[in-house]
Amino acid sequence: MQTPIASHGRRSGAAGARLASGAAAVLILVAACRDGAGDPASGGGAPGVAGVGEALVAADIRKVLDEQATAWNAGDLDGFLTGFWDSPELVFTSGGQVLRGRATLRQRYRQGYWSGGDPGKLSFADVEIHALAPDAAWALGRWELAFPADSVGGVFSLVFRRFDDGWKVVHDHTSVVARAPAEAAPEDTLP
């Protein structure tokens, strides 16, 4: 499948039809997995992705995430971004915003993390990877950026597709976990 996962109603004509059919195919695959076809105990799995195939998909995607963390931690924003689909159809959502395209994502990261110096040390935890098809999967996990005096983190869900040049994120939904405010010192509290 070489079309974006969902169209968000912004396309028309043949491109819109391709996008809609791609989205329908993913929805059918997800529904099949929910209906027990994806339950290994029942002999199921994503169509065309069973047993060793699922393990290979997970290993390949985990490698992409590890390479992204390594690049980020080396200060290599462009290396980090190679894990994302280089297309204006790439979707990134966070903080109530929807951004499209790898160039836009690069600008956001450059302004948000590289403009002030240290972009922090990136790590991923609790990563789950679920194959949908031989060329489609989704991942869920936690991310953290550690800085010398602080850290920030949250949860992500990613949709991956396999292209000729490997697995790429085509849709990223990232949230930031709100931290509790620091406790006030006793002398700062009101009676």
Side-chain angles (χ1 to χ4, degrees):
M1 176 167 44
Q2 293 290 321
T3 58
I5 301 299
S7 68
H8 302 288
R10 292 180 172 222
R11 304 287 181 257
S12 61
R18 282 195 319 272
L19 293 172
S21 68
V26 169
L27 292 175
I28 289 167
L29 289 170
V30 171
C33 290
R34 286 187 183 151
D35 291 338
D39 180 9
S42 66
V49 183
V52 174
E54 287 186 40
L56 290 174
V57 167
D60 288 348
I61 289 174
R62 186 61 211 215
K63 182 179 177 194
V64 171
L65 294 172
D66 290 345
E67 288 171 351
Q68 284 187 299
T70 298
W72 184 284
N73 295 338
D76 181 5
L77 176 58
D78 291 327
F80 169 78
L81 290 171
T82 61
F84 289 89
W85 185 26
D86 190 7
S87 167
E89 297 295 324
L90 168 68
V91 176
F92 178 86
T93 61
S94 185
Q97 294 183 330
V98 176
L99 303 175
R100 295 184 188 277
R102 195 163 86 177
T104 303
L105 186 58
R106 183 182 192 283
Q107 180 181 359
R108 179 188 186 277
Y109 280 126
R110 170 113 7 238
Q111 290 174 347
Y113 295 100
W114 264 266
S115 64
D118 181 8
K121 295 299 179 194
L122 177 64
S123 62
F124 298 117
D126 302 326
V127 176
E128 301 173 17
I129 299 168
H130 304 271
L132 294 170
D135 63 351
W138 65 276
L140 174 69
R142 296 187 175 280
W143 63 276
E144 181 180 50
L145 273 178
F147 298 96
D150 200 4
S151 67
V152 64
V155 177
F156 65 84
S157 59
L158 308 170
V159 176
F160 281 87
R161 283 191 26 226
R162 182 173 30 209
F163 296 92
D164 290 340
D165 59 342
W167 287 94
K168 304 291 181 186
V169 175
V170 298
H171 183 100
D172 179 335
H173 188 176
T174 296
S175 65
V176 177
V177 174
R179 290 177 286 177
E183 290 188 36
E187 62 272 5
D188 293 337
T189 61
L190 296 174

